[in-house]
Amino acid sequence: MNIVMMGVQGSGKGTQSKMLAEKLGIPHISTGDIFRDNIKNKTELGRQAQVYTDQGALVPDSIVINMAQDRLRQSDVDKGYILDGFPRNGVQLAALEYIKPVESAILLELDDATAIKRLTARILCGKCGVIYGANRAPKTVGVCDECGGALVERNDDKDAAAIQKRLDLYHQEIDILVRYYEWKGVLRRIPASGNVDEVFNLCLKAIKQI
Ligand code: AMP
């Protein structure tokens, strides 16, 4: 199944996407993770993206769409995908419908005040990407429970102005996606204020309904 996860930063998109990917046996594709890996490995793509990601601005469509298209054409996507962070605007939405159309769009709904609280508490494993925060603390401070990697704060979570910019952008861009997927009959809205397992069960139920 081709699934898009949507929601404000801090709504749990990354965590829920990873859990769904494992349960359904399809790849979790996060455009933000792909950029962070490329920035860490100092690739040309990383160099091009970093000026935007550090400021909380969107990377230009030409770069993101080509990158997403390359990833979506790999053979492990034959059974479907969980997309996290893509599409983010009307141009990307149209490109995705052309490349591999969406069959289910899940919108994790959370108010901005709670999202900001979660983002400022968020840390993640620099090695495997597992996310920790107010709802999930690592057993040993600074160390990933899953792989022993060091936990780090995302650059774009360190700066209140960058957080606000990402939330403002989200509100500007999300409307067109929601209206389109609603029209297509594949949109499911899920309250994201509950704990990880509660939200996960709601996501599973939502997918079965489509
Ligand atoms: P995320 O991990 O989804 O919050 O993404 C982190 C950063 O990567 C964003 O703030 C953007 O700078 C960039 N990014 C990720 N996905 C996209 C996208 N679909 N379009 C443009 N920029 C993106």
Side-chain angles (χ1 to χ4, degrees):
M1 180 174 252
N2 300 339
I3 302 168
V4 160
M5 298 293 285
M6 300 180 297
V8 71
Q9 290 79 3
S11 60
K13 260 193 336 277
T15 301
Q16 295 297 331
S17 298
K18 281 189 209 325
M19 290 167 76
L20 281 173
E22 199 169 310
K23 175 93 182 170
L24 303 174
I26 51 180
H28 165 216
I29 301 173
S30 153
T31 42
D33 283 351
I34 300 177
F35 286 132
R36 278 183 288 281
D37 281 349
N38 277 276
I39 291 168
K40 197 166 85 185
N41 296 324
K42 301 193 187 321
T43 67
E44 177 55 23
L45 176 64
R47 192 191 59 73
Q48 287 172 7
Q50 188 164 18
V51 270
Y52 304 97
T53 57
D54 276 357
Q55 294 169 24
L58 286 186
V59 176
D61 288 334
S62 54
I63 300 176
V64 187
I65 293 172
N66 285 338
M67 180 183 89
Q69 175 163 262
D70 287 347
R71 181 64 188 89
L72 287 164
R73 293 203 164 144
Q74 289 171 18
S75 59
D76 63 334
V77 186
D78 288 351
K79 282 199 287 181
Y81 58 71
I82 311 268
L83 265 174
D84 162 9
F86 184 91
R88 267 207 176 55
N89 60 33
V91 179
Q92 297 179 13
L93 178 154
L96 181 60
E97 287 298 275
Y98 172 75
I99 303 167
K100 273 197 177 147
V102 171
E103 294 165 321
S104 173
I106 294 183
L107 177 62
L108 298 177
E109 295 188 306
L110 191 72
D111 62 277
D112 277 10
T114 312
I116 291 172
K117 258 193 230 150
R118 286 189 184 177
L119 289 176
T120 41
R122 175 162 81 173
I123 41 174
L124 75 163
C125 175
K127 210 164 145 193
C128 72
V130 166
I131 300 161
Y132 298 85
N135 289 336
R136 179 181 180 185
K139 289 187 192 111
T140 309
V141 178
V143 181
C144 178
D145 295 348
E146 312 278 331
C147 76
L151 301 183
V152 290
E153 199 181 357
R154 277 173 49 165
N155 267 353
D156 53 359
D157 284 347
K158 286 180 190 161
D159 173 6
I163 290 181
Q164 193 56 55
K165 186 165 181 182
R166 281 152 65 213
L167 294 183
D168 292 346
L169 258 178
Y170 169 79
H171 291 297
Q172 279 167 32
E173 306 274 4
I174 192 67
D175 188 47
I176 190 167
L177 306 184
V178 167
R179 282 189 292 142
Y180 176 78
Y181 292 132
E182 208 155 31
W183 167 79
K184 197 176 172 182
V186 298
L187 182 75
R188 294 293 178 271
R189 295 172 185 270
I190 290 181
S193 52
N195 70 39
V196 172
D197 291 331
E198 283 164 5
V199 178
F200 184 55
N201 284 329
L202 292 173
C203 289
L204 285 177
K205 242 196 213 161
I207 289 165
K208 281 186 196 137
Q209 280 168 16
I210 289 175

